[in-house]
Amino acid sequence: MTLAPGAGQPSRMKLLVVGSGGREHALAWKLKQSPLVREVLAAPGNPGIAEIGRCVAVKAEDVDGLVALAKAEGVGLVVVGPEAALAAGLADALAAAGIACFGPSKAAAELEASKAFTKDFCQRHGIPTAAYRVFDDAVTAKAYLGEREAPFVVKADGLAAGKGVIIAQTRREADAAVDEILFLKKFGSAGQRIVIEEFLPGEEASFFALCDGETAVAFGAAQDHKRAYDGDKGPNTGGMGAYSPAPIVTPAIERQVMEEIILPTVRGLAAEGRPFRGVLFAGLMISPNGPKLIEFNVRFGDPECQTLMRRLTSDLAPLLLACAEGRLSAADAPTFGPGPCATIVMAAQGYPDTPLTGSVIRGVKEAAAAPGVAVFHAGTRADDDGALRAAGGRVLNVTATGPTLAEAVDRAYAGVDRIDWPGGFCRRDIGWRALSA
Ligand code: AMP
Ligand code: GLY
């Protein structure tokens, strides 16, 4: 379906958002505001999305089911949240059915699905990243560790839900990490091979670019908080909170990232016959020697996406459609409001190891009514008794915008404090790095 905004009355279309987290709620929330969108469907969605769109019980990894749904509903654009369906070929199957998809093909999704592929790709195209070697054998891997100095960075090659990275301070820990990945299969089949790489010092940022297969435009940056508890302590998680913009990503750094990392990647993938359509998420280390790539993801970050959606002033639907249809250079560049946004993740007690689900959550409406606040659902379920209950690890995202980051953070916590949920917890120091700078 091609839309010609401005050319008479453009037909309004149905969109399908794939996924069920806070990222997908934020995407659905933003897309629903588009004058081009008639209805937002979500598969499988969540109770928050159900308030603004129609949720259909098809799983986010069920490629055949999603294609059948998009066909049956006459969907004009599928917007894919999580990487699993992309790695399984959802974009390819939709393309075969003639349905526009925001999200890369299986071949382009290798950028996230295989660290070894990405490291080799970066080397071929001169993209700045940590020096590395790939191993499938523990003896050679350990011999290589013997030639290097701490800290050691040991990674499982494949998709490991963001957990397949061990930063070891001693040789002993590094050797143990090699054994855990290759022999004990701590990360399952993601650990057939391991990558050992140079430790990069610096500050991390999440950088986003929209891509249409040939070109790319910057789409903002954010900073996440990966550890579970205050003070960056505790186990690694999918992300406990984020803010955007990221002060460390200055306009000069943004230009450098586009020129040295994003555009060479998009052109390199096109030249290798794997054009990338969707959002490229570069996990960066802003080192004293400039930005370096830690990893690519082929989707929006969660919870970074929530902060971007709150700040975006452009209509999202035509931008995503332009990516899917290879027309990005003709589209208006995305614009963001000047006010920062902070997102606080509320997680179920026990997250990330064994989150306790089923606890009752009250006060979400009250929180959403607080100044500057919007609440996105990440892992909730609405039961027949009318109660909202925790149904996942990360459960709610309380977002707020404000004139300054400090005010955005205060507003977000004011929202959090209206939520009555003894079964949950959150970090109380989201934004500390930017606020203390
Ligand atoms: P990844 O799953 O590749 O994003 O890695 C998880 C986390 O490990 C990153 O967010 C960084 O904090 C850290 N990390 C990964 N690779 C490196 C590296 N080469 N140097 C320093 N820290 C790293
Ligand atoms: N928040 C980091 C990620 O989505 O991978």
Side-chain angles (χ1 to χ4, degrees), residues 33-373:
Q33 297 166 27
S34 170
L36 300 183
V37 172
R38 186 167 84 228
E39 186 181 18
V40 176
L41 306 181
N46 67 38
I49 301 176
E51 290 173 12
I52 52 173
R54 177 154 56 92
C55 297
V56 185
V58 177
K59 291 208 171 77
E61 303 78 37
D62 177 1
V63 170
D64 293 341
L66 292 167
V67 174
L69 173 65
K71 267 192 191 164
E73 293 280 352
V75 163
L77 175 68
V78 178
V79 177
V80 186
E83 67 275 15
L86 296 167
L90 175 59
D92 309 78
L94 288 166
I99 299 165
C101 175
F102 178 80
S105 66
K106 180 175 180 171
E110 277 280 288
L111 220 46
E112 175 163 359
S114 166
K115 291 190 164 72
F117 169 80
T118 301
K119 297 303 283 192
D120 292 346
F121 177 86
C122 288
Q123 198 165 51
R124 285 199 292 282
H125 296 280
I127 292 158
T129 182
Y132 72 101
R133 294 232 346 235
V134 182
F135 300 90
D136 55 13
D137 148 73
V139 176
T140 352
K142 289 180 189 171
Y144 178 69
L145 287 171
E147 298 163 15
R148 307 200 48 96
E149 281 173 17
F152 305 96
V153 182
V154 182
K155 302 185 173 185
D157 174 47
L159 284 177
K163 291 177 192 148
V165 176
I166 296 154
I167 313 271
Q169 299 301 333
T170 64
R171 184 58 210 288
R172 200 153 162 213
E173 274 175 71
D175 282 354
V178 169
D179 289 336
E180 277 175 357
I181 295 174
L182 285 177
F183 294 132
L184 302 179
K185 294 276 178 253
K186 190 170 174 192
F187 305 110
S189 62
Q192 310 276 16
R193 294 193 293 175
I194 57 171
V195 177
I196 296 179
E197 62 179 49
E198 169 198 5
F199 179 81
L200 298 173
E203 187 173 331
E204 279 180 69
S206 303
F207 187 98
F208 299 89
L210 298 182
C211 309
D212 74 347
E214 285 186 3
T215 190
V217 293
F219 197 65
Q223 284 179 291
D224 187 11
H225 300 64
K226 295 213 163 145
R227 302 293 199 101
Y229 314 131
D230 285 20
D232 287 338
K233 300 220 168 60
N236 258 321
T237 70
M240 293 300 291
Y243 53 91
S244 174
I248 190 151
V249 182
T250 59
I253 296 275
E254 176 178 307
R255 274 195 300 278
Q256 208 180 347
V257 173
M258 288 304 291
E259 278 160 28
E260 295 177 6
I261 298 178
I262 302 293
L263 290 168
T265 298
V266 172
R267 290 181 193 134
L269 285 170
E272 294 186 9
R274 307 171 186 243
F276 189 98
R277 294 189 191 92
V279 58
L280 194 54
F281 163 4
L284 300 176
M285 190 66 86
I286 313 298
S287 81
N289 304 322
K292 297 206 176 186
L293 180 76
I294 298 175
E295 62 161 3
F296 275 128
N297 296 300
V298 300
R299 50 167 177 86
F300 279 114
D302 185 345
E304 292 96 321
C305 180
Q306 292 82 314
T307 62
L308 297 177
M309 292 305 117
R310 291 291 321 273
R311 291 186 49 234
L312 184 68
T313 45
S314 309
D315 185 351
L316 183 62
L319 272 169
L320 301 192
L321 196 63
C323 291
E325 295 181 340
R327 300 184 281 102
L328 196 53
S329 41
D332 290 335
T335 52
F336 292 90
C341 176
T343 296
I344 317 298
V345 171
M346 298 186 77
Q349 300 285 356
Y351 176 76
D353 296 331
T354 40
L356 295 173
T357 57
S359 54
V360 175
I361 305 163
R362 296 187 181 86
V364 172
K365 284 214 161 56
E366 291 77 359
V373 170

